[in-house]
Amino acid sequence: MFDRLRGPANLEISFPFQEVPEAQGGNGNQMGWMTDEVEKRSG
């Protein structure tokens, strides 16, 4: 289903909980990965 999802040409659609190994494996891993990503971007 998600393989067929398309957005406008300048919109990037990703599924990090499926694509990023650090974000896989359950809610704790996902929350930890999100926290790390926010910290990286907020500097």
Side-chain angles (χ1 to χ4, degrees):
M1 177 172 99
F2 293 118
D3 294 334
R4 298 174 193 259
L5 183 62
R6 291 195 175 92
N10 62 346
L11 177 66
E12 180 182 329
I13 299 172
S14 66
F15 302 94
F17 296 146
Q18 295 174 6
E19 299 166 358
V20 178
E22 294 84 8
Q24 297 174 0
N27 192 4
N29 290 359
Q30 292 171 359
M31 290 178 66
W33 176 80
M34 286 190 295
T35 300
D36 292 346
E37 289 298 305
V38 168
E39 289 174 358
K40 284 183 205 174
R41 297 171 198 282
S42 63

